[in-house]
Amino acid sequence: MSSSVALLITGAGTGLFAGGASCAAVQGGLLAGAVTRLRDPEEGARAPLAPVGAFLAGKLVSHTLLGALLGAFGSALQPSPRVQAGLLLAAGALMVLFALDLFGVRGAGRLVPRPPAAFGRVLRRSARTRSVGTPALIGFATALVPCGVTLSMELLAVTSGSPVAGAAVMAGFVVGTAPLFGLLGYLFRRGSQALSGQLAGLTGVVVLAVAAWTMASALQAGGWVTFDSPDRPATAAGPFTVEGVEGGGPAPADSAGSEGAGGSAGSGGSAADAAPVRTDANGRQIVTLTVTDFYAPTRFTARSGVPTTLVLHGKDSGGCARAFTIPALGVQEIVKRDGDTEVDLGTPGPGTLRFSCAMGMQTGAIEFGKERS
């Protein structure tokens, strides 16, 4: 699954479970004005959703274009992994503020970014016209009246670093909000607004949950923390195979990928066939990470004080895992779908070097210990 598709699904899920109600609280008045001003006494029940559909279509177009522009900006800027993680933290913080505002916490509303009141009045006056295209134009203009969750999705579009991925996350978000907006539009069209203000508490809970997930991912994407179990054993450890040496040091039987390592190393096999941690004939330490939709192994034990190359072995790689980062070193690589990408780690000192996907959903670490005697 490509990263753009993954972001499309992320945006749709956020829109469905959090964005619909939150954006309805901000944009519901525009929706009501857009769909009720065109009511025709002779309409009957034949086309109650046509203005609603026009509103949503305009909203989809504007948000998709905005996402593409934000993704292009992120691509040109190319922020470091930790800057991207900081943007994700900011997105999570915005969600928390918005949730507190929904809960009615005093003072939270003053901290939530809002468009100027004059701009909202202009849009509402525009909604009073009876033009057939009015709902579409008002929907298009909602990109300028974002709710808190929309702002979070816009930050995610920037961190995607791609016009296509940015457009995907914003389009998915609008698609996710469509069911609730469609229902509210229908109720507004039929003259009932009884349900429009009853979702604030539930929305606040959902937004807080999404905020917690976003901020946890950001902390991992920045390499500041990891939420892996501390008792989880390393899946690739020394002793280490030395290539080109007959009967070179065998890896222990319980190390992942170590079975038969000596034979494959000596025969010049591919990175996929070699031991996860090995030393080549020139004395360079090679650490091999296999990338599919996940990382394997997720933890390594390697020697410090040795020139080291990390090999990212793409094996039908996809999703967020392809956007590989090492935040502490500022490394960002797009892993080949099938093939090897080499990253020079220099000569690492003792310590833990964390890696993750760009969104902090897939993580791992290399533990560099003292060189064995």
Side-chain angles (χ1 to χ4, degrees):
M1 181 171 59
S2 70
S3 57
S4 296
V5 174
L7 286 171
L8 178 68
I9 294 173
T10 299
T14 303
L16 179 63
F17 295 110
S22 64
C23 289
V26 175
Q27 302 167 359
L30 297 177
L31 174 64
V35 303
T36 58
R37 288 288 174 177
L38 290 175
R39 185 182 297 162
D40 188 339
E42 300 179 358
E43 178 191 58
R46 289 176 296 176
L49 292 180
V52 181
F55 178 91
L56 291 174
K59 184 177 180 181
L60 177 63
V61 171
S62 67
H63 282 67
T64 302
L65 291 174
L66 177 61
L69 290 174
L70 293 173
F73 173 76
S75 177
L77 186 62
Q78 290 190 342
S80 70
R82 285 189 166 163
V83 170
Q84 294 184 46
L87 289 174
L88 283 177
L89 280 174
L94 280 175
M95 291 186 196
V96 171
L97 283 176
F98 185 74
L100 294 176
D101 187 34
L102 286 174
F103 290 141
V105 175
R106 188 183 299 251
R110 290 194 294 270
L111 299 176
V112 175
R114 303 183 191 277
F119 181 76
R121 288 194 294 270
V122 170
L123 282 182
R124 289 182 178 87
R125 282 197 297 270
S126 300
R128 295 172 185 172
T129 67
R130 298 180 63 85
S131 169
V132 176
T134 294
L137 291 175
I138 297 299
F140 189 89
T142 56
L144 302 176
V145 191
C147 66
V149 182
T150 303
L151 291 172
S152 301
M153 291 296 100
E154 290 173 359
L155 286 174
L156 184 58
V158 172
T159 64
S160 72
S162 161
V164 173
V169 70
M170 294 304 295
F173 178 71
V174 174
V175 170
T177 64
L180 181 58
F181 267 80
L183 174 61
L184 290 177
Y186 179 84
L187 293 175
F188 288 144
R189 190 71 170 160
R190 289 306 183 189
S192 172
Q193 301 184 27
L195 299 179
S196 62
Q198 299 180 3
L199 298 176
L202 177 60
T203 300
V205 172
V206 174
V207 171
L208 276 180
V210 175
W213 177 82
T214 300
M215 297 180 81
S217 296
L219 291 172
Q220 293 197 127
W224 295 303
V225 300
T226 180
F227 296 107
D228 289 339
S229 171
D231 298 327
R232 185 177 181 181
T235 56
F240 309 96
T241 301
V242 179
E243 291 186 350
V245 178
E246 186 70 26
D254 59 349
S255 294
S258 62
E259 184 176 352
S264 62
S267 60
S270 69
D273 298 326
V277 181
R278 67 189 191 278
T279 302
D280 67 14
N282 296 319
R284 173 169 285 272
Q285 182 171 232
I286 309 295
V287 178
T288 301
L289 175 68
T290 299
V291 182
T292 55
D293 285 337
F294 306 95
Y295 296 140
T298 57
R299 295 178 64 84
F300 299 84
T301 297
R303 290 176 295 171
S304 62
V306 178
T308 301
T309 296
L310 174 63
V311 177
L312 306 173
H313 177 69
K315 188 176 181 181
D316 193 25
S317 63
C320 178
R322 288 192 70 195
F324 177 86
T325 70
I326 303 178
L329 301 181
V331 170
Q332 301 182 82
E333 293 287 347
I334 300 299
V335 180
K336 297 177 182 178
R337 185 168 296 278
D338 291 288
D340 294 342
T341 302
E342 294 188 355
V343 178
D344 185 0
L345 300 182
T347 304
T352 300
L353 186 64
R354 295 190 177 98
F355 57 84
S356 76
C357 73
M359 294 180 66
M361 295 188 294
Q362 307 291 337
T363 64
I366 305 172
E367 184 71 35
F368 288 100
K370 294 181 179 180
E371 186 174 358
R372 299 172 184 239
S373 56

